[in-house]
Amino acid sequence: MTATTTAPAPAASTRTLLTAGAVAAPLWTAVNLAQVLTREGFDIIRHPLSQLSTGSLGWLQVADFLVVGALVIAGSYGLRRATAGRWLPRLLLVNGIGMISAGIFRMDAGDGFPVGTPAGPPTTMSWHAVLHMASGSIAFIALAAACFVLGRRFSRAGARGSAVASFVAGAAVIAGNGWAMSGGHGGSLTLAVGVTGAMLWVSAVAYRLRRHPLV
């Protein structure tokens, strides 16, 4: 008969960092949902979440990007301490930096939002909107890749359900972004659902790691 050993729980400082990562996606979801339901003229079918950064209340979404990005970065350092792998924390670090950058460089107003903006996309794109798009793309790619890395780690550990959830989350980011970039109907909604779902999954993993190490 062989004795079994249980890996010790992470140190308090590591748990604090992981808690930051666990809080990131729920905060992102709550702030976005509140704005989607209350901002006059906003239509999630036509307008990407980033467009909430425009208008007199745009500072709310800017703060959302900055705060959540910082929480993701903190969570990446927690994951660095709590896991043996290198790529997962690195990818989430890039994801957090991308979110902060997307908050600093705002998207242009367009397609009737904020109220009073002409219908249709802007005829020209400002330099800060270009940087916003680039930042967002980097953040999305890093998030999807992080989910795939998680899927591989869970698969190796024999956690089939968690592995499938990770791969689906990563694929949802790619599919949602691809449909949005192609100009497909409701692309802003598919992008929001894909990215938010993946973020919620990563936050759930960070919460789990506060007590149970990832093999």
mmCIF file with all atom_site columns, all heavy atoms in Angstrom, residues 67-96:
data_model
loop_
_atom_site.group_PDB
_atom_site.id
_atom_site.type_symbol
_atom_site.label_atom_id
_atom_site.label_alt_id
_atom_site.label_comp_id
_atom_site.label_asym_id
_atom_site.label_entity_id
_atom_site.label_seq_id
_atom_site.pdbx_PDB_ins_code
_atom_site.Cartn_x
_atom_site.Cartn_y
_atom_site.Cartn_z
_atom_site.occupancy
_atom_site.B_iso_or_equiv
_atom_site.pdbx_formal_charge
_atom_site.auth_seq_id
_atom_site.auth_comp_id
_atom_site.auth_asym_id
_atom_site.auth_atom_id
_atom_site.pdbx_PDB_model_num
ATOM 1   N N   . VAL A 1 67 ? -9.252  48.357 -15.313 1.00 0.00 ? 67 VAL A N   1
ATOM 2   C CA  . VAL A 1 67 ? -9.306  47.607 -14.053 1.00 0.00 ? 67 VAL A CA  1
ATOM 3   C C   . VAL A 1 67 ? -9.262  46.109 -14.316 1.00 0.00 ? 67 VAL A C   1
ATOM 4   O O   . VAL A 1 67 ? -8.496  45.365 -13.672 1.00 0.00 ? 67 VAL A O   1
ATOM 5   C CB  . VAL A 1 67 ? -10.566 47.978 -13.255 1.00 0.00 ? 67 VAL A CB  1
ATOM 6   C CG1 . VAL A 1 67 ? -10.724 47.060 -12.041 1.00 0.00 ? 67 VAL A CG1 1
ATOM 7   C CG2 . VAL A 1 67 ? -10.506 49.435 -12.811 1.00 0.00 ? 67 VAL A CG2 1
ATOM 8   N N   . VAL A 1 68 ? -10.068 45.643 -15.259 1.00 0.00 ? 68 VAL A N   1
ATOM 9   C CA  . VAL A 1 68 ? -10.090 44.204 -15.553 1.00 0.00 ? 68 VAL A CA  1
ATOM 10  C C   . VAL A 1 68 ? -8.749  43.749 -16.125 1.00 0.00 ? 68 VAL A C   1
ATOM 11  O O   . VAL A 1 68 ? -8.250  42.670 -15.782 1.00 0.00 ? 68 VAL A O   1
ATOM 12  C CB  . VAL A 1 68 ? -11.250 43.872 -16.511 1.00 0.00 ? 68 VAL A CB  1
ATOM 13  C CG1 . VAL A 1 68 ? -11.173 42.409 -16.969 1.00 0.00 ? 68 VAL A CG1 1
ATOM 14  C CG2 . VAL A 1 68 ? -12.584 44.133 -15.824 1.00 0.00 ? 68 VAL A CG2 1
ATOM 15  N N   . GLY A 1 69 ? -8.150  44.571 -16.980 1.00 0.00 ? 69 GLY A N   1
ATOM 16  C CA  . GLY A 1 69 ? -6.830  44.231 -17.502 1.00 0.00 ? 69 GLY A CA  1
ATOM 17  C C   . GLY A 1 69 ? -5.810  44.077 -16.388 1.00 0.00 ? 69 GLY A C   1
ATOM 18  O O   . GLY A 1 69 ? -4.990  43.144 -16.393 1.00 0.00 ? 69 GLY A O   1
ATOM 19  N N   . ALA A 1 70 ? -5.860  44.982 -15.408 1.00 0.00 ? 70 ALA A N   1
ATOM 20  C CA  . ALA A 1 70 ? -4.940  44.901 -14.273 1.00 0.00 ? 70 ALA A CA  1
ATOM 21  C C   . ALA A 1 70 ? -5.193  43.643 -13.449 1.00 0.00 ? 70 ALA A C   1
ATOM 22  O O   . ALA A 1 70 ? -4.248  42.995 -12.975 1.00 0.00 ? 70 ALA A O   1
ATOM 23  C CB  . ALA A 1 70 ? -5.082  46.145 -13.400 1.00 0.00 ? 70 ALA A CB  1
ATOM 24  N N   . LEU A 1 71 ? -6.463  43.273 -13.270 1.00 0.00 ? 71 LEU A N   1
ATOM 25  C CA  . LEU A 1 71 ? -6.794  42.057 -12.532 1.00 0.00 ? 71 LEU A CA  1
ATOM 26  C C   . LEU A 1 71 ? -6.298  40.814 -13.264 1.00 0.00 ? 71 LEU A C   1
ATOM 27  O O   . LEU A 1 71 ? -5.803  39.869 -12.636 1.00 0.00 ? 71 LEU A O   1
ATOM 28  C CB  . LEU A 1 71 ? -8.312  41.970 -12.318 1.00 0.00 ? 71 LEU A CB  1
ATOM 29  C CG  . LEU A 1 71 ? -8.914  42.975 -11.340 1.00 0.00 ? 71 LEU A CG  1
ATOM 30  C CD1 . LEU A 1 71 ? -10.446 42.913 -11.381 1.00 0.00 ? 71 LEU A CD1 1
ATOM 31  C CD2 . LEU A 1 71 ? -8.419  42.717 -9.919  1.00 0.00 ? 71 LEU A CD2 1
ATOM 32  N N   . VAL A 1 72 ? -6.423  40.815 -14.587 1.00 0.00 ? 72 VAL A N   1
ATOM 33  C CA  . VAL A 1 72 ? -5.933  39.681 -15.378 1.00 0.00 ? 72 VAL A CA  1
ATOM 34  C C   . VAL A 1 72 ? -4.414  39.559 -15.245 1.00 0.00 ? 72 VAL A C   1
ATOM 35  O O   . VAL A 1 72 ? -3.875  38.458 -15.100 1.00 0.00 ? 72 VAL A O   1
ATOM 36  C CB  . VAL A 1 72 ? -6.338  39.831 -16.861 1.00 0.00 ? 72 VAL A CB  1
ATOM 37  C CG1 . VAL A 1 72 ? -5.637  38.779 -17.726 1.00 0.00 ? 72 VAL A CG1 1
ATOM 38  C CG2 . VAL A 1 72 ? -7.846  39.711 -17.020 1.00 0.00 ? 72 VAL A CG2 1
ATOM 39  N N   . ILE A 1 73 ? -3.726  40.692 -15.273 1.00 0.00 ? 73 ILE A N   1
ATOM 40  C CA  . ILE A 1 73 ? -2.265  40.676 -15.117 1.00 0.00 ? 73 ILE A CA  1
ATOM 41  C C   . ILE A 1 73 ? -1.889  40.119 -13.739 1.00 0.00 ? 73 ILE A C   1
ATOM 42  O O   . ILE A 1 73 ? -0.989  39.277 -13.624 1.00 0.00 ? 73 ILE A O   1
ATOM 43  C CB  . ILE A 1 73 ? -1.685  42.085 -15.312 1.00 0.00 ? 73 ILE A CB  1
ATOM 44  C CG1 . ILE A 1 73 ? -1.803  42.494 -16.781 1.00 0.00 ? 73 ILE A CG1 1
ATOM 45  C CG2 . ILE A 1 73 ? -0.223  42.139 -14.858 1.00 0.00 ? 73 ILE A CG2 1
ATOM 46  C CD1 . ILE A 1 73 ? -1.421  43.935 -17.060 1.00 0.00 ? 73 ILE A CD1 1
ATOM 47  N N   . ALA A 1 74 ? -2.584  40.578 -12.689 1.00 0.00 ? 74 ALA A N   1
ATOM 48  C CA  . ALA A 1 74 ? -2.319  40.058 -11.350 1.00 0.00 ? 74 ALA A CA  1
ATOM 49  C C   . ALA A 1 74 ? -2.573  38.556 -11.309 1.00 0.00 ? 74 ALA A C   1
ATOM 50  O O   . ALA A 1 74 ? -1.779  37.780 -10.748 1.00 0.00 ? 74 ALA A O   1
ATOM 51  C CB  . ALA A 1 74 ? -3.196  40.777 -10.326 1.00 0.00 ? 74 ALA A CB  1
ATOM 52  N N   . GLY A 1 75 ? -3.666  38.125 -11.938 1.00 0.00 ? 75 GLY A N   1
ATOM 53  C CA  . GLY A 1 75 ? -3.973  36.706 -11.980 1.00 0.00 ? 75 GLY A CA  1
ATOM 54  C C   . GLY A 1 75 ? -2.920  35.906 -12.717 1.00 0.00 ? 75 GLY A C   1
ATOM 55  O O   . GLY A 1 75 ? -2.628  34.759 -12.347 1.00 0.00 ? 75 GLY A O   1
ATOM 56  N N   . SER A 1 76 ? -2.322  36.496 -13.741 1.00 0.00 ? 76 SER A N   1
ATOM 57  C CA  . SER A 1 76 ? -1.275  35.789 -14.495 1.00 0.00 ? 76 SER A CA  1
ATOM 58  C C   . SER A 1 76 ? -0.066  35.503 -13.618 1.00 0.00 ? 76 SER A C   1
ATOM 59  O O   . SER A 1 76 ? 0.569   34.441 -13.740 1.00 0.00 ? 76 SER A O   1
ATOM 60  C CB  . SER A 1 76 ? -0.865  36.603 -15.732 1.00 0.00 ? 76 SER A CB  1
ATOM 61  O OG  . SER A 1 76 ? -0.053  37.717 -15.391 1.00 0.00 ? 76 SER A OG  1
ATOM 62  N N   . TYR A 1 77 ? 0.245   36.432 -12.718 1.00 0.00 ? 77 TYR A N   1
ATOM 63  C CA  . TYR A 1 77 ? 1.358   36.197 -11.797 1.00 0.00 ? 77 TYR A CA  1
ATOM 64  C C   . TYR A 1 77 ? 0.999   35.131 -10.765 1.00 0.00 ? 77 TYR A C   1
ATOM 65  O O   . TYR A 1 77 ? 1.867   34.349 -10.341 1.00 0.00 ? 77 TYR A O   1
ATOM 66  C CB  . TYR A 1 77 ? 1.765   37.508 -11.112 1.00 0.00 ? 77 TYR A CB  1
ATOM 67  C CG  . TYR A 1 77 ? 2.592   38.400 -12.000 1.00 0.00 ? 77 TYR A CG  1
ATOM 68  C CD1 . TYR A 1 77 ? 2.025   39.467 -12.670 1.00 0.00 ? 77 TYR A CD1 1
ATOM 69  C CD2 . TYR A 1 77 ? 3.948   38.150 -12.186 1.00 0.00 ? 77 TYR A CD2 1
ATOM 70  C CE1 . TYR A 1 77 ? 2.783   40.282 -13.509 1.00 0.00 ? 77 TYR A CE1 1
ATOM 71  C CE2 . TYR A 1 77 ? 4.717   38.961 -13.018 1.00 0.00 ? 77 TYR A CE2 1
ATOM 72  C CZ  . TYR A 1 77 ? 4.126   40.024 -13.675 1.00 0.00 ? 77 TYR A CZ  1
ATOM 73  O OH  . TYR A 1 77 ? 4.886   40.810 -14.513 1.00 0.00 ? 77 TYR A OH  1
ATOM 74  N N   . GLY A 1 78 ? -0.281  35.091 -10.372 1.00 0.00 ? 78 GLY A N   1
ATOM 75  C CA  . GLY A 1 78 ? -0.718  34.033 -9.485  1.00 0.00 ? 78 GLY A CA  1
ATOM 76  C C   . GLY A 1 78 ? -0.614  32.668 -10.146 1.00 0.00 ? 78 GLY A C   1
ATOM 77  O O   . GLY A 1 78 ? -0.164  31.689 -9.536  1.00 0.00 ? 78 GLY A O   1
ATOM 78  N N   . LEU A 1 79 ? -1.007  32.601 -11.418 1.00 0.00 ? 79 LEU A N   1
ATOM 79  C CA  . LEU A 1 79 ? -0.905  31.350 -12.166 1.00 0.00 ? 79 LEU A CA  1
ATOM 80  C C   . LEU A 1 79 ? 0.547   30.946 -12.373 1.00 0.00 ? 79 LEU A C   1
ATOM 81  O O   . LEU A 1 79 ? 0.876   29.758 -12.384 1.00 0.00 ? 79 LEU A O   1
ATOM 82  C CB  . LEU A 1 79 ? -1.604  31.500 -13.522 1.00 0.00 ? 79 LEU A CB  1
ATOM 83  C CG  . LEU A 1 79 ? -3.134  31.534 -13.468 1.00 0.00 ? 79 LEU A CG  1
ATOM 84  C CD1 . LEU A 1 79 ? -3.702  32.024 -14.789 1.00 0.00 ? 79 LEU A CD1 1
ATOM 85  C CD2 . LEU A 1 79 ? -3.677  30.144 -13.142 1.00 0.00 ? 79 LEU A CD2 1
ATOM 86  N N   . ARG A 1 80 ? 1.400   31.916 -12.509 1.00 0.00 ? 80 ARG A N   1
ATOM 87  C CA  . ARG A 1 80 ? 2.830   31.638 -12.666 1.00 0.00 ? 80 ARG A CA  1
ATOM 88  C C   . ARG A 1 80 ? 3.381   30.932 -11.428 1.00 0.00 ? 80 ARG A C   1
ATOM 89  O O   . ARG A 1 80 ? 4.237   30.051 -11.524 1.00 0.00 ? 80 ARG A O   1
ATOM 90  C CB  . ARG A 1 80 ? 3.573   32.948 -12.902 1.00 0.00 ? 80 ARG A CB  1
ATOM 91  C CG  . ARG A 1 80 ? 5.019   32.796 -13.314 1.00 0.00 ? 80 ARG A CG  1
ATOM 92  C CD  . ARG A 1 80 ? 5.609   34.160 -13.598 1.00 0.00 ? 80 ARG A CD  1
ATOM 93  N NE  . ARG A 1 80 ? 6.879   34.075 -14.286 1.00 0.00 ? 80 ARG A NE  1
ATOM 94  C CZ  . ARG A 1 80 ? 7.590   35.113 -14.682 1.00 0.00 ? 80 ARG A CZ  1
ATOM 95  N NH1 . ARG A 1 80 ? 7.127   36.332 -14.451 1.00 0.00 ? 80 ARG A NH1 1
ATOM 96  N NH2 . ARG A 1 80 ? 8.729   34.957 -15.300 1.00 0.00 ? 80 ARG A NH2 1
ATOM 97  N N   . ARG A 1 81 ? 2.867   31.334 -10.262 1.00 0.00 ? 81 ARG A N   1
ATOM 98  C CA  . ARG A 1 81 ? 3.321   30.719 -9.021  1.00 0.00 ? 81 ARG A CA  1
ATOM 99  C C   . ARG A 1 81 ? 2.635   29.378 -8.757  1.00 0.00 ? 81 ARG A C   1
ATOM 100 O O   . ARG A 1 81 ? 3.218   28.479 -8.148  1.00 0.00 ? 81 ARG A O   1
ATOM 101 C CB  . ARG A 1 81 ? 3.027   31.642 -7.838  1.00 0.00 ? 81 ARG A CB  1
ATOM 102 C CG  . ARG A 1 81 ? 3.779   32.961 -7.869  1.00 0.00 ? 81 ARG A CG  1
ATOM 103 C CD  . ARG A 1 81 ? 3.406   33.778 -6.633  1.00 0.00 ? 81 ARG A CD  1
ATOM 104 N NE  . ARG A 1 81 ? 4.067   35.083 -6.613  1.00 0.00 ? 81 ARG A NE  1
ATOM 105 C CZ  . ARG A 1 81 ? 3.942   35.955 -5.622  1.00 0.00 ? 81 ARG A CZ  1
ATOM 106 N NH1 . ARG A 1 81 ? 3.181   35.648 -4.575  1.00 0.00 ? 81 ARG A NH1 1
ATOM 107 N NH2 . ARG A 1 81 ? 4.563   37.115 -5.662  1.00 0.00 ? 81 ARG A NH2 1
ATOM 108 N N   . ALA A 1 82 ? 1.385   29.251 -9.211  1.00 0.00 ? 82 ALA A N   1
ATOM 109 C CA  . ALA A 1 82 ? 0.583   28.080 -8.854  1.00 0.00 ? 82 ALA A CA  1
ATOM 110 C C   . ALA A 1 82 ? 0.696   26.931 -9.845  1.00 0.00 ? 82 ALA A C   1
ATOM 111 O O   . ALA A 1 82 ? 0.236   25.822 -9.548  1.00 0.00 ? 82 ALA A O   1
ATOM 112 C CB  . ALA A 1 82 ? -0.884  28.488 -8.721  1.00 0.00 ? 82 ALA A CB  1
ATOM 113 N N   . THR A 1 83 ? 1.259   27.169 -11.031 1.00 0.00 ? 83 THR A N   1
ATOM 114 C CA  . THR A 1 83 ? 1.378   26.118 -12.028 1.00 0.00 ? 83 THR A CA  1
ATOM 115 C C   . THR A 1 83 ? 2.825   25.967 -12.455 1.00 0.00 ? 83 THR A C   1
ATOM 116 O O   . THR A 1 83 ? 3.636   26.882 -12.308 1.00 0.00 ? 83 THR A O   1
ATOM 117 C CB  . THR A 1 83 ? 0.532   26.433 -13.274 1.00 0.00 ? 83 THR A CB  1
ATOM 118 O OG1 . THR A 1 83 ? 1.046   27.606 -13.924 1.00 0.00 ? 83 THR A OG1 1
ATOM 119 C CG2 . THR A 1 83 ? -0.927  26.682 -12.897 1.00 0.00 ? 83 THR A CG2 1
ATOM 120 N N   . ALA A 1 84 ? 3.116   24.796 -13.012 1.00 0.00 ? 84 ALA A N   1
ATOM 121 C CA  . ALA A 1 84 ? 4.483   24.526 -13.461 1.00 0.00 ? 84 ALA A CA  1
ATOM 122 C C   . ALA A 1 84 ? 4.733   25.063 -14.868 1.00 0.00 ? 84 ALA A C   1
ATOM 123 O O   . ALA A 1 84 ? 5.878   25.247 -15.276 1.00 0.00 ? 84 ALA A O   1
ATOM 124 C CB  . ALA A 1 84 ? 4.759   23.021 -13.421 1.00 0.00 ? 84 ALA A CB  1
ATOM 125 N N   . GLY A 1 85 ? 3.671   25.295 -15.621 1.00 0.00 ? 85 GLY A N   1
ATOM 126 C CA  . GLY A 1 85 ? 3.839   25.743 -17.003 1.00 0.00 ? 85 GLY A CA  1
ATOM 127 C C   . GLY A 1 85 ? 4.217   27.206 -17.115 1.00 0.00 ? 85 GLY A C   1
ATOM 128 O O   . GLY A 1 85 ? 3.984   28.003 -16.198 1.00 0.00 ? 85 GLY A O   1
ATOM 129 N N   . ARG A 1 86 ? 4.785   27.551 -18.252 1.00 0.00 ? 86 ARG A N   1
ATOM 130 C CA  . ARG A 1 86 ? 5.198   28.937 -18.499 1.00 0.00 ? 86 ARG A CA  1
ATOM 131 C C   . ARG A 1 86 ? 4.248   29.684 -19.429 1.00 0.00 ? 86 ARG A C   1
ATOM 132 O O   . ARG A 1 86 ? 4.054   30.887 -19.291 1.00 0.00 ? 86 ARG A O   1
ATOM 133 C CB  . ARG A 1 86 ? 6.600   28.954 -19.107 1.00 0.00 ? 86 ARG A CB  1
ATOM 134 C CG  . ARG A 1 86 ? 7.688   28.392 -18.193 1.00 0.00 ? 86 ARG A CG  1
ATOM 135 C CD  . ARG A 1 86 ? 9.033   28.452 -18.886 1.00 0.00 ? 86 ARG A CD  1
ATOM 136 N NE  . ARG A 1 86 ? 10.113  27.944 -18.033 1.00 0.00 ? 86 ARG A NE  1
ATOM 137 C CZ  . ARG A 1 86 ? 11.382  27.876 -18.410 1.00 0.00 ? 86 ARG A CZ  1
ATOM 138 N NH1 . ARG A 1 86 ? 11.732  28.274 -19.623 1.00 0.00 ? 86 ARG A NH1 1
ATOM 139 N NH2 . ARG A 1 86 ? 12.296  27.408 -17.579 1.00 0.00 ? 86 ARG A NH2 1
ATOM 140 N N   . TRP A 1 87 ? 3.666   28.969 -20.402 1.00 0.00 ? 87 TRP A N   1
ATOM 141 C CA  . TRP A 1 87 ? 2.925   29.666 -21.444 1.00 0.00 ? 87 TRP A CA  1
ATOM 142 C C   . TRP A 1 87 ? 1.598   30.230 -20.976 1.00 0.00 ? 87 TRP A C   1
ATOM 143 O O   . TRP A 1 87 ? 1.180   31.297 -21.413 1.00 0.00 ? 87 TRP A O   1
ATOM 144 C CB  . TRP A 1 87 ? 2.716   28.741 -22.651 1.00 0.00 ? 87 TRP A CB  1
ATOM 145 C CG  . TRP A 1 87 ? 3.928   28.695 -23.522 1.00 0.00 ? 87 TRP A CG  1
ATOM 146 C CD1 . TRP A 1 87 ? 4.810   27.666 -23.663 1.00 0.00 ? 87 TRP A CD1 1
ATOM 147 C CD2 . TRP A 1 87 ? 4.413   29.752 -24.346 1.00 0.00 ? 87 TRP A CD2 1
ATOM 148 N NE1 . TRP A 1 87 ? 5.817   28.011 -24.522 1.00 0.00 ? 87 TRP A NE1 1
ATOM 149 C CE2 . TRP A 1 87 ? 5.596   29.295 -24.963 1.00 0.00 ? 87 TRP A CE2 1
ATOM 150 C CE3 . TRP A 1 87 ? 3.974   31.047 -24.619 1.00 0.00 ? 87 TRP A CE3 1
ATOM 151 C CZ2 . TRP A 1 87 ? 6.341   30.084 -25.831 1.00 0.00 ? 87 TRP A CZ2 1
ATOM 152 C CZ3 . TRP A 1 87 ? 4.711   31.839 -25.492 1.00 0.00 ? 87 TRP A CZ3 1
ATOM 153 C CH2 . TRP A 1 87 ? 5.874   31.352 -26.088 1.00 0.00 ? 87 TRP A CH2 1
ATOM 154 N N   . LEU A 1 88 ? 0.917   29.528 -20.092 1.00 0.00 ? 88 LEU A N   1
ATOM 155 C CA  . LEU A 1 88 ? -0.382  30.027 -19.612 1.00 0.00 ? 88 LEU A CA  1
ATOM 156 C C   . LEU A 1 88 ? -0.257  31.393 -18.954 1.00 0.00 ? 88 LEU A C   1
ATOM 157 O O   . LEU A 1 88 ? -0.966  32.335 -19.350 1.00 0.00 ? 88 LEU A O   1
ATOM 158 C CB  . LEU A 1 88 ? -1.008  29.010 -18.658 1.00 0.00 ? 88 LEU A CB  1
ATOM 159 C CG  . LEU A 1 88 ? -2.349  29.427 -18.043 1.00 0.00 ? 88 LEU A CG  1
ATOM 160 C CD1 . LEU A 1 88 ? -3.388  29.669 -19.129 1.00 0.00 ? 88 LEU A CD1 1
ATOM 161 C CD2 . LEU A 1 88 ? -2.838  28.349 -17.064 1.00 0.00 ? 88 LEU A CD2 1
ATOM 162 N N   . PRO A 1 89 ? 0.606   31.588 -17.965 1.00 0.00 ? 89 PRO A N   1
ATOM 163 C CA  . PRO A 1 89 ? 0.728   32.922 -17.362 1.00 0.00 ? 89 PRO A CA  1
ATOM 164 C C   . PRO A 1 89 ? 1.230   33.968 -18.349 1.00 0.00 ? 89 PRO A C   1
ATOM 165 O O   . PRO A 1 89 ? 0.812   35.131 -18.288 1.00 0.00 ? 89 PRO A O   1
ATOM 166 C CB  . PRO A 1 89 ? 1.707   32.719 -16.208 1.00 0.00 ? 89 PRO A CB  1
ATOM 167 C CG  . PRO A 1 89 ? 2.418   31.448 -16.490 1.00 0.00 ? 89 PRO A CG  1
ATOM 168 C CD  . PRO A 1 89 ? 1.444   30.599 -17.234 1.00 0.00 ? 89 PRO A CD  1
ATOM 169 N N   . ARG A 1 90 ? 2.116   33.586 -19.254 1.00 0.00 ? 90 ARG A N   1
ATOM 170 C CA  . ARG A 1 90 ? 2.615   34.551 -20.234 1.00 0.00 ? 90 ARG A CA  1
ATOM 171 C C   . ARG A 1 90 ? 1.497   35.028 -21.156 1.00 0.00 ? 90 ARG A C   1
ATOM 172 O O   . ARG A 1 90 ? 1.387   36.229 -21.450 1.00 0.00 ? 90 ARG A O   1
ATOM 173 C CB  . ARG A 1 90 ? 3.732   33.912 -21.074 1.00 0.00 ? 90 ARG A CB  1
ATOM 174 C CG  . ARG A 1 90 ? 5.047   33.722 -20.336 1.00 0.00 ? 90 ARG A CG  1
ATOM 175 C CD  . ARG A 1 90 ? 6.035   32.980 -21.207 1.00 0.00 ? 90 ARG A CD  1
ATOM 176 N NE  . ARG A 1 90 ? 7.329   32.806 -20.545 1.00 0.00 ? 90 ARG A NE  1
ATOM 177 C CZ  . ARG A 1 90 ? 8.332   32.106 -21.046 1.00 0.00 ? 90 ARG A CZ  1
ATOM 178 N NH1 . ARG A 1 90 ? 8.190   31.506 -22.235 1.00 0.00 ? 90 ARG A NH1 1
ATOM 179 N NH2 . ARG A 1 90 ? 9.466   31.994 -20.398 1.00 0.00 ? 90 ARG A NH2 1
ATOM 180 N N   . LEU A 1 91 ? 0.674   34.107 -21.614 1.00 0.00 ? 91 LEU A N   1
ATOM 181 C CA  . LEU A 1 91 ? -0.421  34.473 -22.512 1.00 0.00 ? 91 LEU A CA  1
ATOM 182 C C   . LEU A 1 91 ? -1.451  35.343 -21.807 1.00 0.00 ? 91 LEU A C   1
ATOM 183 O O   . LEU A 1 91 ? -1.976  36.298 -22.394 1.00 0.00 ? 91 LEU A O   1
ATOM 184 C CB  . LEU A 1 91 ? -1.077  33.204 -23.058 1.00 0.00 ? 91 LEU A CB  1
ATOM 185 C CG  . LEU A 1 91 ? -0.233  32.428 -24.079 1.00 0.00 ? 91 LEU A CG  1
ATOM 186 C CD1 . LEU A 1 91 ? -0.821  31.033 -24.308 1.00 0.00 ? 91 LEU A CD1 1
ATOM 187 C CD2 . LEU A 1 91 ? -0.139  33.186 -25.399 1.00 0.00 ? 91 LEU A CD2 1
ATOM 188 N N   . LEU A 1 92 ? -1.742  35.037 -20.555 1.00 0.00 ? 92 LEU A N   1
ATOM 189 C CA  . LEU A 1 92 ? -2.695  35.865 -19.816 1.00 0.00 ? 92 LEU A CA  1
ATOM 190 C C   . LEU A 1 92 ? -2.110  37.233 -19.487 1.00 0.00 ? 92 LEU A C   1
ATOM 191 O O   . LEU A 1 92 ? -2.846  38.225 -19.425 1.00 0.00 ? 92 LEU A O   1
ATOM 192 C CB  . LEU A 1 92 ? -3.132  35.145 -18.546 1.00 0.00 ? 92 LEU A CB  1
ATOM 193 C CG  . LEU A 1 92 ? -4.023  33.919 -18.788 1.00 0.00 ? 92 LEU A CG  1
ATOM 194 C CD1 . LEU A 1 92 ? -4.350  33.222 -17.487 1.00 0.00 ? 92 LEU A CD1 1
ATOM 195 C CD2 . LEU A 1 92 ? -5.305  34.324 -19.525 1.00 0.00 ? 92 LEU A CD2 1
ATOM 196 N N   . LEU A 1 93 ? -0.802  37.301 -19.311 1.00 0.00 ? 93 LEU A N   1
ATOM 197 C CA  . LEU A 1 93 ? -0.154  38.598 -19.133 1.00 0.00 ? 93 LEU A CA  1
ATOM 198 C C   . LEU A 1 93 ? -0.342  39.453 -20.381 1.00 0.00 ? 93 LEU A C   1
ATOM 199 O O   . LEU A 1 93 ? -0.697  40.634 -20.302 1.00 0.00 ? 93 LEU A O   1
ATOM 200 C CB  . LEU A 1 93 ? 1.333   38.406 -18.843 1.00 0.00 ? 93 LEU A CB  1
ATOM 201 C CG  . LEU A 1 93 ? 2.181   39.681 -18.745 1.00 0.00 ? 93 LEU A CG  1
ATOM 202 C CD1 . LEU A 1 93 ? 1.706   40.567 -17.597 1.00 0.00 ? 93 LEU A CD1 1
ATOM 203 C CD2 . LEU A 1 93 ? 3.662   39.322 -18.564 1.00 0.00 ? 93 LEU A CD2 1
ATOM 204 N N   . VAL A 1 94 ? -0.138  38.852 -21.542 1.00 0.00 ? 94 VAL A N   1
ATOM 205 C CA  . VAL A 1 94 ? -0.340  39.569 -22.813 1.00 0.00 ? 94 VAL A CA  1
ATOM 206 C C   . VAL A 1 94 ? -1.799  39.974 -22.959 1.00 0.00 ? 94 VAL A C   1
ATOM 207 O O   . VAL A 1 94 ? -2.120  41.088 -23.401 1.00 0.00 ? 94 VAL A O   1
ATOM 208 C CB  . VAL A 1 94 ? 0.101   38.692 -23.996 1.00 0.00 ? 94 VAL A CB  1
ATOM 209 C CG1 . VAL A 1 94 ? -0.286  39.350 -25.319 1.00 0.00 ? 94 VAL A CG1 1
ATOM 210 C CG2 . VAL A 1 94 ? 1.608   38.461 -23.949 1.00 0.00 ? 94 VAL A CG2 1
ATOM 211 N N   . ASN A 1 95 ? -2.710  39.088 -22.578 1.00 0.00 ? 95 ASN A N   1
ATOM 212 C CA  . ASN A 1 95 ? -4.137  39.391 -22.639 1.00 0.00 ? 95 ASN A CA  1
ATOM 213 C C   . ASN A 1 95 ? -4.479  40.607 -21.776 1.00 0.00 ? 95 ASN A C   1
ATOM 214 O O   . ASN A 1 95 ? -5.212  41.510 -22.212 1.00 0.00 ? 95 ASN A O   1
ATOM 215 C CB  . ASN A 1 95 ? -4.933  38.166 -22.187 1.00 0.00 ? 95 ASN A CB  1
ATOM 216 C CG  . ASN A 1 95 ? -6.422  38.440 -22.080 1.00 0.00 ? 95 ASN A CG  1
ATOM 217 O OD1 . ASN A 1 95 ? -6.995  38.330 -21.005 1.00 0.00 ? 95 ASN A OD1 1
ATOM 218 N ND2 . ASN A 1 95 ? -7.048  38.786 -23.175 1.00 0.00 ? 95 ASN A ND2 1
ATOM 219 N N   . GLY A 1 96 ? -3.944  40.654 -20.562 1.00 0.00 ? 96 GLY A N   1
ATOM 220 C CA  . GLY A 1 96 ? -4.206  41.781 -19.675 1.00 0.00 ? 96 GLY A CA  1
ATOM 221 C C   . GLY A 1 96 ? -3.634  43.080 -20.201 1.00 0.00 ? 96 GLY A C   1
ATOM 222 O O   . GLY A 1 96 ? -4.286  44.136 -20.150 1.00 0.00 ? 96 GLY A O   1
#
